[in-house]
Amino acid sequence: MARRPTLPPSIPPASRQRTARSGGTGTTVAVAERASARTDRVSDGLTERLEERRRARRRLRLRAVAMVVAGVLVLAGVGWVALASSLLALRLDDVEVVGTDDIARSEDVLAVVAPHEGEPLLRLDAPRLRDELEAVAGVGEATVRRVLPHGLEITVVPRVPVATVAAEDGYVLLDAEGVELAVTQEPHEGVPVVDVPVGSDTTAEALEAVLTAMDALGESLLQRVVSVSAPTAYEVELVLDSGARVVWGSAEDSELKAAVLERLLQVPAEVYDVSAPLNPITR
């Protein structure tokens, strides 16, 4: 007679429930621990990245500060070299003067520059130096150009002598503005000798009147003029080689006066008065 297969003993329902609860709890704990570990790792990684970013920002700030400090030091060094040190200072031997002659002399120009020797070129007041140079009697205009590291290029335009005035200690050269350019022992070659007040407020006007009258004379008449005088701009007078005097008056109508005088000279006289050219007088 066949036997029924033997079955394992039945597990009471309560035991099965405890076993299931026990297995579920272990699984839940394990899952929770793994999740916690992952959270810790994520948190640690995030903390490290945040710290690294903070360190990077600090490095950038320090680098920026270092660059600013370095820039300031470089600028300070350049400024000191350019404005305070002797590395770019003026040397008199490196000053070039162009345009001088016997009226505007190089030695007079260099004498003005000499007090500035040793002064840093970039601090040199070029306009002021130009004014100092133009105060030299023979200099009409001057330009000043810096030539690094130690030099200057000075270009001068000399004043032009237009008349000579006899004085106690020689002959005074005057330009068209009445400026006294030099004193010579002999009359300057090619410059007429005139008699006008020197060093007066009326010098320039009187000299201009004399020069206008002389310019109006033709070459033949000018060769006959021995001297020209003008106490004022309205009292120009000429002396001819014959000894006759020409009363010219002011510089007004000088060309007409010259034409009238040329006609009058055909009549011998001691005085030719052309101050009123439409009514000339001889005597």
Side-chain angles (χ1 to χ4, degrees):
M1 180 176 180
R3 289 188 299 178
R4 294 181 181 176
T6 303
L7 297 176
S10 299
I11 301 175
S15 299
R16 288 198 297 268
Q17 291 176 1
R18 283 196 301 271
T19 302
R21 284 198 297 268
S22 176
T25 300
T27 301
T28 301
V29 171
V31 170
E33 290 177 350
R34 288 195 296 271
S36 176
R38 283 197 299 270
T39 301
D40 291 342
R41 287 196 297 271
V42 171
S43 178
D44 291 343
L46 180 59
T47 301
E48 291 176 359
R49 286 195 295 272
L50 291 175
E51 182 62 28
E52 180 60 31
R53 288 182 181 178
R54 283 194 291 269
R55 287 196 294 266
R57 285 197 293 268
R58 283 197 298 270
R59 286 195 296 270
L60 288 175
R61 285 196 296 268
L62 291 174
R63 187 179 303 170
V65 171
M67 291 178 65
V68 170
V69 171
V72 171
L73 291 176
V74 169
L75 290 176
V78 171
W80 179 80
V81 169
L83 302 176
S85 78
S86 60
L87 296 177
L88 297 178
L90 175 63
R91 295 177 183 172
L92 199 60
D93 292 340
D94 291 332
V95 176
E96 180 182 5
V97 182
V98 180
T100 55
D101 59 8
D102 58 339
I103 300 299
R105 302 181 303 171
S106 294
E107 51 266 36
D108 295 335
V109 171
L110 292 175
V112 174
V113 179
H116 298 279
E117 186 171 21
E119 187 174 334
L121 274 184
L122 296 183
R123 284 176 50 195
L124 180 69
D125 190 342
R128 178 181 176 184
L129 179 58
R130 180 200 61 210
D131 293 343
E132 292 175 358
L133 291 169
E134 291 180 351
V136 175
V139 177
E141 297 179 4
T143 58
V144 178
R145 186 174 70 88
R146 296 179 181 87
V147 181
L148 295 175
H150 303 292
L152 290 175
E153 181 182 275
I154 297 174
T155 303
V156 300
V157 178
R159 291 182 179 273
V160 179
V162 297
T164 305
V165 178
E168 293 182 0
D169 53 350
Y171 294 86
V172 179
L173 281 175
L174 302 177
D175 75 346
E177 297 177 359
V179 176
E180 299 179 30
L181 306 181
V183 177
T184 61
Q185 295 304 310
E186 299 294 335
H188 199 280
E189 184 178 355
V191 179
V193 178
V194 302
D195 184 9
V196 296
V198 176
S200 168
D201 293 339
T202 63
T203 299
E205 292 181 352
L207 181 59
E208 183 180 2
V210 166
L211 296 176
T212 301
M214 294 178 66
D215 188 56
L217 296 173
E219 185 66 27
S220 59
L221 281 178
L222 192 58
Q223 290 179 353
R224 296 184 60 180
V225 175
V226 176
S227 65
V228 185
S229 63
T232 70
Y234 304 96
E235 300 175 274
V236 179
E237 187 171 299
L238 291 71
V239 176
L240 304 179
D241 53 4
S242 64
R245 293 188 304 113
V246 177
V247 179
W248 195 272
S250 70
E252 188 177 357
D253 296 326
S254 285
E255 292 185 0
L256 177 59
K257 292 176 181 179
V260 171
L261 176 62
E262 194 166 11
R263 287 292 189 91
L264 292 180
L265 288 176
Q266 297 175 9
V267 178
E270 294 183 357
V271 177
Y272 299 93
D273 189 338
V274 294
S275 57
L278 297 180
N279 296 289
I281 299 174
T282 60
R283 55 180 185 270

